[in-house]
């Protein structure tokens, strides 16, 4: 126990990033397992899952989660599934974001979670928002909207607070082009001063992203608010890849050169990212970087295409992202049994012709 506490103290005092933290937590888990300390083994795996959520990756969590499920079955007196149902929702997102996991398995995970929520008499509000995200991933925006409506019938709880509710409701309204509704909800969020880690930064980004894609002139207002919120974030890590990619693309459509600042931050975050995030980044950046020029950028030496002199051929980068985008889109469409991912790229092609 003393060795484990030393590792946790070291994490607290010398925290650098999620990858380093997870490596230390794995060391602590090894010690707990070695000494058959079930209590620490449980706590440390939950800590590991929550830490990996603060990144764009999902590498260690599935195995840790499966172990927790097994221990809850074997030792119900020491661990209840009710203690990690929030992590269960993230497993749904990670499952549908992994192109190698069949849809049947994703649906099975979701059905199992719904059954457990009903068993423990927990609210299904956050679950329905998660299922809305799954439906949107499949390109079924009507079903996604239906899940959001079902979520409204469920109570708020510790997992799904007001910030999450406003973010999901505004995202849904914006995705459907209902911007007056989204603005009214955002005004409530602003009046109540509701915030939760990356919210309302990502909420502003969502509004601006869909507004500019729909051609609504109010996009610039909310993108500026997003920029301001970004400067107030308590921490910037790769879990923001989704929101920052949207921000970069929206700024690109508006011709706003500040996009390069954000690209310098996220370049390389996709290396260990989940498959759907790799698709997300590549299909947006193939258009952003489609320029016949070389540009000086300050990128991390860890980026696979890093240049020591700092000069990058944007057209070459665009071509690489384009090849990646079509590869991931085709693979997801085969898995999902439709053409939604490839159709989204075609919509973006038309958008950029009009730009």
């Amino acid at each position: 126990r003393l060795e484990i506490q030393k590792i946790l103290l070291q994490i607290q005092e010398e925290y650098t990033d999620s990858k380093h933290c997870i490596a230390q937590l794995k060391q602590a888990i090894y010690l707990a397992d070695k000494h058959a300390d079930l209590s620490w083994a449980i706590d440390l795996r939950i800590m590991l899952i929550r830490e990996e959520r603060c990144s764009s990756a999902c590498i260690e969590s599935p195995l840790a989660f499966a172990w927790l499920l097994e221990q809850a079955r074997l030792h119900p007196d020491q661990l209840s599934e009710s203690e990690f149902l929030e992590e269960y929702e993230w497993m749904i997102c990670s499952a549908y974001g992994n192109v190698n996991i069949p849809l049947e398995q994703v649906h099975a995970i979701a059905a199992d979670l719904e059954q457990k929520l009903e068993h423990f008499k927990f609210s299904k509000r956050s679950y329905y928002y998660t299922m809305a995200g799954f439906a949107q991933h499949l390109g079924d925006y009507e079903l996604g909207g239906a899940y959001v409506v079902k979520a409204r019938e469920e109570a708020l709880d510790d997992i799904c607070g007001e910030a999450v509710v406003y973010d999901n409701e505004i995202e849904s309204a914006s995705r459907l082009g209902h911007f007056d509704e989204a603005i009214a909800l955002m005004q409530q969020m602003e009046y109540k001063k509701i915030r939760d880690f990356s919210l309302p930064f990502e909420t502003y980004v969502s509004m601006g992203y869909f507004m500019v894609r729909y051609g609504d002139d109010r996009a610039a207002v909310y993108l500026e608010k997003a920029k301001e919120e970004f400067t107030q974030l308590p921490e910037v890590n790769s879990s923001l890849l989704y929101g920052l990619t949207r921000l970069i693309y929206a700024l690109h459509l508006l011709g706003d050169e500040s996009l390069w600042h954000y690209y310098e931050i996220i370049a390389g975050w996709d290396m260990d990212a989940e498959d759907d995030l790799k698709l997300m980044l590549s299909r947006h950046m193939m258009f952003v970087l489609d320029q016949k020029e070389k540009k000086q950028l300050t990128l991390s030496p860890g980026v696979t295409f890093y240049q020591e002199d700092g000069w990058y051929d944007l057209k070459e980068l665009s071509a690489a992202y384009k090849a990646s985008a079509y590869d991931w889109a085709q693979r997801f469409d085969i898995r999902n049994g439709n053409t939604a991912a490839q159709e989204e790229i075609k919509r973006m092609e038309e958008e950029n012709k009009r730009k």
Side-chain angles (χ1 to χ4, degrees):
R1 282 178 176 266
L2 185 59
E3 290 177 88
I4 291 172
Q5 288 170 342
K6 283 181 180 178
I7 292 173
L8 295 180
L9 183 62
Q10 188 178 7
I11 291 173
Q12 187 177 359
E13 293 179 345
E14 303 173 13
Y15 184 91
T16 52
D17 57 39
S18 265
K19 189 176 289 188
H20 180 63
C21 178
I22 288 169
Q24 289 178 299
L25 286 171
K26 286 175 67 179
Q27 182 184 351
I29 289 169
Y30 168 77
L31 292 171
D33 290 348
K34 180 181 177 182
H35 296 290
D37 192 326
L38 184 60
S39 178
W40 267 117
I42 290 169
D43 290 346
L44 289 166
R45 281 178 170 86
I46 291 175
M47 289 170 64
L48 183 146
I49 293 171
R50 290 177 180 172
E51 183 60 37
E52 196 164 48
R53 287 181 68 180
C54 296
S55 75
S56 58
C58 184
I59 300 168
E60 306 294 340
S61 296
L63 189 60
F65 185 78
W67 184 91
L68 289 170
L69 282 176
E70 180 65 5
Q71 299 312 307
R73 185 184 69 82
L74 294 173
H75 307 283
D77 56 321
Q78 295 192 54
L79 178 64
S80 168
E81 290 175 338
S82 65
E83 296 176 46
F84 55 93
L85 289 184
E86 183 177 357
E87 284 67 41
Y88 215 132
E89 289 185 6
W90 187 47
M91 287 299 104
I92 296 175
C93 298
S94 295
Y96 72 66
N98 185 327
V99 77
N100 293 314
I101 295 181
L103 282 187
E104 295 78 13
Q105 191 172 338
V106 183
H107 285 296
I109 295 169
D112 190 46
L113 173 57
E114 184 175 24
Q115 185 180 41
K116 286 174 169 52
L117 290 169
E118 291 172 353
H119 172 74
F120 291 110
K121 295 182 170 55
F122 285 0
S123 169
K124 291 196 283 185
R125 189 158 195 157
S126 185
Y127 164 79
Y128 284 135
Y129 286 143
T130 299
M131 294 305 291
F134 180 25
Q136 289 157 5
H137 165 80
L138 296 173
D140 193 338
Y141 304 121
E142 185 176 337
L143 178 59
Y147 274 122
V148 171
V149 171
K150 291 185 79 170
R152 292 175 194 150
E153 300 170 1
E154 298 285 327
L156 296 177
D157 58 12
D158 292 340
I159 296 175
C160 187
E162 272 197 293
V164 174
V165 170
Y166 274 109
D167 181 63
N168 278 278
E169 293 287 343
I170 290 170
E171 161 87 17
S172 179
S174 298
R175 185 182 288 276
L176 296 172
H178 302 161
F179 298 121
D180 289 341
E181 178 186 345
I183 289 170
L185 289 167
M186 176 51 78
Q187 287 172 343
Q188 293 175 29
M189 194 176 186
E190 290 171 334
Y191 177 76
K192 295 179 181 180
K193 295 182 171 56
I194 295 171
R195 30 187 6 99
D196 183 11
F197 181 55
S198 62
L199 307 179
F201 162 67
E202 296 198 72
T203 321
Y204 282 132
V205 168
S206 175
M207 293 177 72
Y209 173 81
F210 285 111
M211 282 177 172
V212 74
R213 292 192 66 183
Y214 273 94
D216 192 301
D217 293 338
R218 293 170 289 185
V221 173
Y222 292 96
L223 293 173
E224 286 302 316
K225 290 188 176 191
K227 289 182 191 178
E228 177 58 31
E229 280 296 326
F230 183 76
T231 66
Q232 307 299 318
L233 290 177
E235 181 184 347
V236 174
N237 57 48
S238 60
S239 68
L240 297 170
L241 180 58
Y242 191 86
L244 283 170
T245 299
R246 278 180 160 184
L247 176 60
I248 290 167
Y249 184 71
L251 295 174
H252 155 71
L253 291 179
L254 289 179
D256 186 331
E257 288 293 303
S258 68
L259 68 88
W260 299 111
H261 165 65
Y262 302 105
Y263 180 65
E264 288 177 334
I265 293 172
I266 70 168
W269 278 3
D270 59 320
M271 285 190 286
D272 294 321
E274 297 179 72
D275 296 345
D276 60 339
L277 288 175
K278 289 179 179 179
L279 169 60
M280 171 76 173
L281 179 70
S282 57
R283 78 177 176 214
H284 286 85
M285 295 312 302
M286 64 182 273
F287 297 107
V288 174
L289 298 171
D290 189 14
Q291 302 179 37
K292 294 179 180 178
E293 66 170 295
K294 286 195 173 184
K295 190 171 185 67
Q296 192 165 29
L297 297 168
T298 305
L299 303 184
S300 165
V303 173
T304 54
F305 48 84
Y306 178 73
Q307 299 292 326
E308 285 190 15
D309 63 3
W311 286 95
Y312 296 86
D313 186 317
L314 299 185
K315 201 74 173 177
E316 284 185 8
L317 291 182
S318 172
Y321 278 118
K322 183 176 182 179
S324 174
Y326 275 103
D327 177 55
W328 284 114
Q330 288 166 4
R331 291 171 67 186
F332 268 111
D333 283 347
I334 290 170
R335 195 281 302 265
N336 295 340
N338 59 30
T339 57
Q342 292 173 85
E343 287 172 7
E344 177 64 10
I345 294 177
K346 289 177 183 176
R347 278 193 291 272
M348 295 172 77
E349 286 175 345
E350 292 303 314
E351 256 169 20
N352 281 270
K353 286 177 184 176
R354 298 192 300 267
K355 180 176 175 293

